[in-house]
Amino acid sequence: AAGVIQSPRHLIKEKRETATLKCYPIPRHDTVYWYQQGPGQDPQFLISFYEKMQSDKGSIPDRFSAQQFSDYHSELNMSSLELGDSALYFCASSLGLAGSQGDTQYFGPGTRLTVL
Amino acid sequence: TQLLEQSPQFLSIQEGENLTVYCNSSSVFSSLQWYRQEPGEGPVLLVTVVTGGEVKKLKRLTFQFGDARKDSSLHITAAQPGDTGLYLCAGLASGTYKYIFGTGTRLKVLA
């Protein structure tokens, strides 16, 4: 069965550079979530989209933005990168909003971002 | 801010032992999920509990949602080395469409 695809899997950037992470949800899934997981930390919710509109927002820095496109894939844009942005970034997808029937989140393999 | 505290934070046990992981909050959650995460991989959903007092079993794993929907527990019977991993609870924050993850429990089962 198809799973959530994230690209790239690994990314190395310098401070103050920009980065774009991509997430391709499971086919027919209409909801996408982004999480940031620092070393030894639990995943922190950043932002989510349902039917191409932002459904909720967490601790996402103003330097980050995200959107969901017409084909339901999502991109997380990160600018003015800082050392503290180094983390695993996970995307998850579900069918329907969190709390609705079938809202099980399926996580992608993550993108490991390293900021030097 | 709704927080989920997990205990213990670390647990190292021998194969065959039983263990219980706790997930506690002062807030009420609409539903709660348990995940297991391997290093470098995304969390994998184990179970979702929705109703207060609900108990679900998944082979050697038993999950319980507290009556007041503020806490949950995961009990593993006869742990095996393959159970090693990071166990995370995640609660659906009231009035939102986002899941708040717990602080995590790192389990190591020794053969």
Side-chain angles (χ1 to χ4, degrees):
Chain A
V4 176
I5 296 172
Q6 290 187 246
S7 68
R9 292 293 310 276
H10 301 272
L11 190 58
I12 300 175
K13 290 284 186 178
E14 300 276 342
K15 277 197 311 184
R16 292 181 288 279
E17 285 190 322
T18 62
T20 297
L21 310 185
K22 297 185 179 183
C23 169
Y24 298 87
I26 291 172
R28 292 187 291 115
H29 279 194
D30 50 18
T31 307
V32 168
Y33 310 80
W34 284 98
Y35 293 88
Q36 178 192 59
Q37 187 174 28
Q41 306 286 317
D42 53 284
Q44 295 293 314
F45 172 79
L46 293 177
I47 195 166
S48 62
F49 294 89
Y50 168 67
E51 282 293 344
K52 293 153 279 185
M53 292 186 65
Q54 182 181 307
S55 54
D56 219 317
K57 198 171 181 179
S59 50
I60 183 169
D62 292 340
R63 299 177 289 107
F64 295 4
S65 65
Q67 57 181 320
Q68 186 179 32
F69 295 86
S70 57
D71 63 351
Y72 294 101
H73 94 272
S74 178
E75 295 184 4
L76 177 65
N77 298 293
M78 310 159 73
S79 63
S80 302
L81 286 169
E82 302 174 356
L83 295 178
D85 296 329
S86 295
L88 262 173
Y89 289 83
F90 289 107
C91 168
S93 76
S94 69
L95 183 60
L97 279 168
S100 62
Q101 196 109 17
D103 74 336
T104 299
Q105 292 182 83
Y106 294 87
F107 280 78
T111 294
R112 183 174 293 281
L113 172 66
T114 302
V115 181
L116 303 175
Chain B
T1 304
Q2 293 173 296
L3 296 173
L4 277 168
E5 297 283 340
Q6 284 186 237
S7 62
Q9 192 176 356
F10 299 96
L11 189 57
S12 181
I13 61 171
Q14 293 292 133
E15 182 177 6
E17 292 185 357
N18 302 331
L19 67 117
T20 302
V21 177
Y22 298 93
C23 175
N24 295 299
S25 176
S26 57
S27 304
V28 175
F29 290 92
S30 305
S31 63
L32 194 137
Q33 299 180 331
W34 283 93
Y35 292 83
R36 194 177 89 174
Q37 185 178 21
E38 304 281 353
E41 296 181 11
V44 176
L45 181 69
L46 297 174
V47 78
T48 300
V49 285
V50 179
T51 307
E54 183 176 2
V55 177
K56 281 192 174 178
K57 292 193 174 183
L58 185 66
K59 297 182 182 178
R60 295 177 292 101
L61 278 59
T62 302
F63 306 85
Q64 184 163 9
F65 202 12
D67 292 340
R69 291 186 288 131
K70 293 182 179 181
D71 54 85
S72 181
S73 64
L74 158 61
H75 182 79
I76 300 178
T77 304
Q80 298 176 0
D83 296 327
T84 294
L86 174 65
Y87 288 83
L88 293 158
C89 62
L92 180 60
S94 300
T96 76
Y97 299 110
K98 60 185 178 185
Y99 278 93
I100 306 297
F101 275 85
T103 48
T105 294
R106 293 193 180 276
L107 171 66
K108 188 168 186 178
V109 182
L110 305 169

